C-alpha cells in the first residue's frame, strides 16, 4: 500500500507529466511548533522551493508557513488545485516539518501497527484527542492523491520530514522526528478509512530522502540549517537536474541528481531511495516545467555540463571557525552561519553539523584542516551543478576501526578522470589519474581498511574533458596541500565540461 512507503521517512512523490501540462503547487513549511521542539530550517526549505517554482513560471502557488499551516487551510487549497487542474496537469505538494507516528487508526492496515502523519503546529500531544484534527495521516494523503488520479492529474509530493530511524553519528542539529503519540486520538476520518483500502496509484513515484533505518536530520548548507532533500529538490527545479537541456526532468536525471546531492549535502547521513526502484520506462518523465530557471537548460538544448564559477554560485573561499583556546594566526577565515569548531585542548576539529572531522589536529595542522574544508565547499558547489556518481560498500553513516570497504567510480564518456582523497588531516592524496582514455574508464578501491587517525575523509572523482596532466603532475612531484590543489582546480574547472562526485567517509575508534 502507498501509505506504508509514503511516510516511512522524508519523501518525494513524482509522476509522469506531459511536456505542455500546466503545473500548480501547494507549499507547506513549519518551524514553529508551540507544543513540540521547533525546527530551524523547514521554513527556509519551503521558501526556497517556492522561489524555485516561481522562477520556473509555475502557475498557482499556495504557500502556508508556520501558524498558517492548518489542516483545513491545506485541505481547502488541495481541493481548489484539484478542481482547477485538467487531465495531464501536475500538482506539486511539498511539506517540510515534523513527522511522527501513532498506533494505527484502522485495525490491520499497517504491518507495524503504526500510522505515520505530518504534524501541524496546532497539534498538542498532551491534548491529542482534542487537537488530533491538526495532523495529516498517511491514509488521508492516499485519499487526497486518489482524488487527483481520478481526474488523471499527476501528483508530485515532497515531504522533508521523518518518522523512524536511529543515528550513529554525533549530530548537533535537529531531526524532523517527533515522538510517537501514545495518547488517544479521534477516530479515523472518512478519508483515512478510504485511504486505508488497498489501491494502486499508478501515476505516483516515491523518492525517499533517507532509508527507512535512517532519520532525516537538519544539516548545515550554506551556513544555515536546511533539509538536504528540499535543498536538492529546489536546485533540481532550477534546472540542475535537466542534464540534456530539453526542459523536462526524467526519472533517471532526477535520480542521478538527487542521489548525489542529498548524500553530498548531508555528508552521507542520508541515502535516498526510489519506489519503484526501477523507472517505468527509460524515457519516463517525472517533471515538466513551463521554464527552466537560473541554472536551466541552454537555449539550444545542449547538455549542461559546463561548470559555472563557484564564486558566481555563492562560494566565498572562506571558512567560519570557532576556536576554544588559543590558535595560531590563520588565513581565509570569515563568513556567517554555523561555524566549524576546533578545541585547542583536545585537538578535535568539528563540522558545523557536530561531526568529528579530525582528531589530534595540532595547532600547526589547523590551517591545513581549514583549507581542506574550503576546498570541499568549492567542490560541493561544482557537484551541485553537475554531479558524478560513486559508490561505497558496505553502506554506513560511520565506519569503525578495522572495517573494510570498497569504493568504485566510473569515468563514463569523459576523456580524463582524477581520483583523490582529502584526508581528515588536511592532506590531498592522489589515488588515480586517467588521461585521454589511458586507464580502464573505472576506478576501484577494494579492501580499504579504516585506521587511525579518525575523522572525515572525502573521496573525490573529477571526470572531465579538460586536460588534467598538470594537476596529476603536481600530485606526483610534491606533497600537494589543499590550498595548492584549490588554486589548480579553480583555474581549470570553471567553464569546463566536467562532473564532480564526492564521497564523505566518517570514521571512529571501534566501540566509541
Amino acid at each position: 500500500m502507498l501509505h506504508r512507503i509514503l511516510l516511512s521517512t522524508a519523501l518525494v512523490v513524482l509522476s509522469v507529466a506531459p511536456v505542455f501540462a500546466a503545473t500548480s503547487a501547494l507549499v507547506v513549511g513549519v518551524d514553529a511548533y508551540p507544543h513540540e521542539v521547533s525546527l530551524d530550517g523547514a521554513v527556509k526549505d519551503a521558501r526556497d522551493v517556492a522561489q524555485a517554482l516561481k522562477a520556473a513560471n509555475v502557475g498557482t502557488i499556495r504557500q502556508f508557513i508556520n501558524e498558517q499551516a492548518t489542516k483545513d487551510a491545506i485541505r481547502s487549497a488541495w481541493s481548489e488545485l484539484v478542481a482547477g487542474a485538467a487531465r495531464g496537469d501536475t500538482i506539486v505538494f511539498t511539506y517540510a516539518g515534523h513527522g511522527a507516528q501513532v498506533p494505527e487508526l484502522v485495525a490491520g492496515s499497517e504491518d507495524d501497527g503504526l500510522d505515520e502523519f505530518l504534524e501541524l503546529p496546532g497539534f498538542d500531544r498532551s491534548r491529542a484527542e482534542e487537537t488530533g484534527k491538526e495532523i495529516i495521516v498517511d491514509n488521508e494523503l492516499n485519499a487526497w492523491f486518489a482524488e487527483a488520479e481520478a481526474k488523471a492529474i499527476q501528483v508530485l509530493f515532497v515531504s522533508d520530514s521523518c518518522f523512524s530511524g536511529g543515528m550513529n553519528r554525533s549530530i548537533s542539529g535537529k531531526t524532523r522526528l517527533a515522538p510517537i503519540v501514545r495518547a488517544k486520538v479521534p477516530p479515523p476520518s472518512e478519508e483515512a478509512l478510504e485511504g486505508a483500502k488497498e489501491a494502486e496509484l499508478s501515476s505516483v513515484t516515491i523518492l525517499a530522502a533517507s532509508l527507512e533505518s535512517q532519520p532525516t536530520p537538519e544539516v548545515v548548507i550554506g551556513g544555515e540549517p536546511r533539509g538536504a532533500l528540499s535543498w536538492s529538490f529546489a536546485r533540481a527545479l532550477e534546472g540542475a537536474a535537466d542534464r540534456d537541456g530539453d526542459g523536462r526532468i526524467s526519472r533517471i536525471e532526477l535520480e542521478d541528481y538527487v542521489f548525489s546531492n542529498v548524500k553530498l549535502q548531508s555528508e552521507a547521513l542520508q541515502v535516498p531511495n526510489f519506489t519503484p526502484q526501477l523507472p517505468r520506462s527509460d524515457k519516463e518523465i517525472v517533471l515538466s516545467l513551463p521554464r527552466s530557471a537560473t541554472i536551466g537548460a541552454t537555449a539550444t538544448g545542449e547538455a549542461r555540463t559546463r561548470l559555472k564559477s563557484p564564486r558566481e554560485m555563492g562560494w566565498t573561499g572562506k571558512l567560519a571557525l570557532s576556536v576554544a583556546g588559543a590558535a595560531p594566526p590563520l588565513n581565509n577565515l570569515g563568513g556567517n552561519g554555523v561555524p566549524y569548531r576546533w578545541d585547542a585542548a583536545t585537538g578535535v576539529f568539528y563540522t558545523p553539523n557536530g561531526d568529528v572531522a579530525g582528531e589530534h589536529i595540532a595547532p600547526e595542522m589547523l590551517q591545513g584542516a581549514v583549507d581542506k574544508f574550503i576546498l570541499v565547499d568549492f567542490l560541493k558547489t561544482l557537484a551541485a551543478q553537475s554531479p558524478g556518481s560513486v559508490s561505497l560498500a558496505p553502506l554506513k553513516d560511520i565506519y569503525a576501526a578495522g572495517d573494510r570497504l570498497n569504493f568504485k567510480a566510473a569515468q563514463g564518456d569523459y576523456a580524463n578522470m582524477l581520483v583523490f582523497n582529502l584526508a581528515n588531516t588536511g592532506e590531498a592524496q592522489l589515488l588515480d589519474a586517467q588521461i585521454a582514455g589511458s586507464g580502464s574508464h573505472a576506478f576501484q578501491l577494494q579492501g580499504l581498511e579504516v585506521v587511525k587517525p579518525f575523522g572525515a575523509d572525502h573521496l573525490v572523482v573529477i571526470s572531465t574533458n579538460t586536460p588534467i596532466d598538470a594537476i596529476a603532475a603536481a600530485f606526483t612531484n610534491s606533497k600537494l596541500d589543499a590550498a595548492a590543489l584549490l588554486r589548480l582546480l579553480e583555474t581549470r574547472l570553471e567553464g569546463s565540461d566536467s562532473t564532480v562526485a564526492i564521497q564523505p567517509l566518517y570514521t571512529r575508534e571501534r566501540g566509541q
Side-chain angles (χ1 to χ4, degrees):
M1 291 179 66
L2 173 62
H3 62 270
R4 284 203 292 268
I5 304 170
L6 176 65
L7 295 177
S8 61
T9 184
L11 316 171
V12 179
V13 177
L14 304 114
S15 58
V16 176
V19 177
F20 301 107
T23 304
S24 56
L26 170 59
V27 180
V28 180
V30 181
D31 279 340
Y33 284 91
H35 314 292
E36 203 68 78
V37 174
S38 290
L39 297 172
D40 297 321
V43 169
K44 296 185 186 77
D45 288 345
R47 288 176 172 156
D48 189 16
V49 169
Q51 181 58 42
L53 289 164
K54 291 175 184 176
N57 279 355
V58 167
T60 302
I61 301 174
R62 299 291 305 276
Q63 182 172 298
F64 299 92
I65 299 297
N66 288 332
E67 70 278 358
Q68 299 170 346
T70 66
K71 187 173 182 179
D72 283 345
I74 295 169
R75 182 64 174 101
S76 177
W78 174 262
S79 297
E80 291 174 7
L81 294 178
V82 171
R87 181 183 183 87
D89 287 350
T90 299
I91 299 176
V92 179
F93 177 11
T94 75
Y95 171 83
H98 272 310
Q101 295 174 309
V102 65
E104 62 182 1
L105 301 178
V106 180
S109 64
E110 299 285 350
D111 290 340
D112 61 0
L114 296 171
D115 271 312
E116 288 77 39
F117 64 85
L118 307 180
E119 183 170 336
L120 302 177
F123 178 69
D124 182 354
R125 66 186 56 244
S126 68
R127 298 182 297 121
E129 191 168 6
E130 180 183 345
T131 63
K133 181 182 177 182
E134 291 305 311
I135 65 175
I136 304 176
V137 183
D138 50 10
N139 294 342
E140 293 174 316
L141 284 172
N142 284 351
W144 294 15
F145 298 152
E147 292 175 357
E149 178 145 322
K151 291 186 62 177
I153 298 167
Q154 313 301 323
V155 175
L156 184 158
F157 176 54
V158 183
S159 179
D160 206 339
S161 59
C162 68
F163 303 89
S164 62
M167 186 182 295
N168 291 319
R169 300 235 298 268
S170 176
I171 299 299
S172 59
K174 299 175 180 178
T175 63
R176 295 180 179 181
L177 172 64
I180 187 172
V181 175
R182 299 293 184 184
K184 184 179 180 181
V185 297
S189 64
E190 290 297 323
E191 287 182 340
L193 290 170
E194 185 66 26
K197 299 176 182 177
E198 292 284 350
E200 180 68 26
L201 299 180
S202 59
S203 65
V204 173
T205 301
I206 300 170
L207 171 61
S210 295
L211 299 175
E212 189 172 350
S213 61
Q214 296 175 315
T216 300
E218 291 195 330
V219 297
V220 177
I221 302 176
E224 297 182 323
R226 292 292 305 273
L229 173 61
S230 294
W231 186 93
S232 299
F233 183 67
R235 307 290 79 74
L237 288 172
E238 291 174 340
D242 183 14
R243 297 294 295 276
D244 60 6
D246 66 353
R248 302 179 301 170
I249 300 175
S250 72
R251 157 68 187 265
I252 293 173
E253 286 176 324
L254 186 71
E255 188 176 72
D256 288 347
Y257 185 79
V258 174
F259 268 53
S260 297
N261 278 284
V262 168
K263 178 177 69 175
L264 180 61
Q265 298 301 332
S266 71
E267 285 289 298
L269 275 171
Q270 296 171 245
V271 179
N273 184 43
F274 264 105
T275 302
Q277 290 187 342
L278 298 177
R280 294 180 176 95
S281 73
D282 293 341
K283 297 182 180 180
E284 179 185 358
I285 302 300
V286 294
L287 185 61
S288 180
L289 296 173
R291 176 176 64 83
S292 294
T294 55
I295 312 178
T298 62
T300 61
E302 295 177 352
R304 290 173 314 92
T305 52
R306 295 198 173 275
L307 300 174
K308 293 185 178 181
S309 164
R311 294 186 186 278
E312 183 182 354
M313 304 297 293
W315 176 76
T316 64
K318 295 185 179 297
L319 193 82
L321 178 67
S322 172
V323 173
L330 298 169
N331 299 320
N332 304 319
L333 296 186
N336 299 316
V338 183
Y340 288 79
R341 294 183 293 120
W342 179 68
D343 188 321
T346 64
V348 177
F349 193 87
Y350 298 91
T351 73
N353 291 329
D355 271 316
V356 174
E359 297 180 338
H360 310 300
I361 303 298
E364 63 271 17
M365 301 166 61
L366 186 56
Q367 184 68 62
V370 168
D371 291 340
K372 174 208 165 158
F373 282 98
I374 290 174
L375 175 55
V376 168
D377 287 343
F378 169 86
L379 292 166
K380 282 184 175 182
T381 305
L382 298 178
Q385 298 177 59
S386 185
S389 178
V390 294
S391 64
L392 195 65
L395 194 61
K396 299 180 181 180
D397 56 15
I398 189 165
Y399 297 84
D403 283 350
R404 291 185 177 274
L405 50 123
N406 300 323
F407 174 70
K408 295 182 180 180
Q411 184 171 340
D413 297 330
Y414 291 90
N416 308 308
M417 182 170 71
L418 186 72
V419 185
F420 57 92
N421 180 47
L422 296 175
N424 56 60
T425 56
E427 296 177 49
Q429 305 161 337
L430 181 66
L431 300 177
D432 192 26
Q434 297 183 16
I435 299 173
S438 60
S440 63
H441 294 263
F443 173 78
Q444 296 188 35
L445 188 64
Q446 296 192 356
L448 179 69
E449 183 179 1
V450 174
V451 297
K452 294 181 179 180
F454 304 115
D457 283 36
H458 289 76
L459 296 160
V460 180
V461 178
I462 299 174
S463 299
T464 181
N465 288 323
T466 296
I468 61 169
D469 306 65
I471 304 173
F475 272 105
T476 302
N477 297 332
S478 65
K479 185 177 180 181
L480 192 64
D481 61 27
L485 179 56
L486 173 61
R487 290 192 294 271
L488 285 170
L489 296 178
E490 190 172 11
T491 57
R492 287 166 171 80
L493 293 185
E494 179 181 345
S496 70
D497 181 6
S498 308
T499 66
V500 178
I502 308 172
Q503 175 64 60
L505 175 60
Y506 282 78
T507 62
R508 68 182 178 191
E509 184 66 75
R510 186 167 295 279
Q512 284 187 346

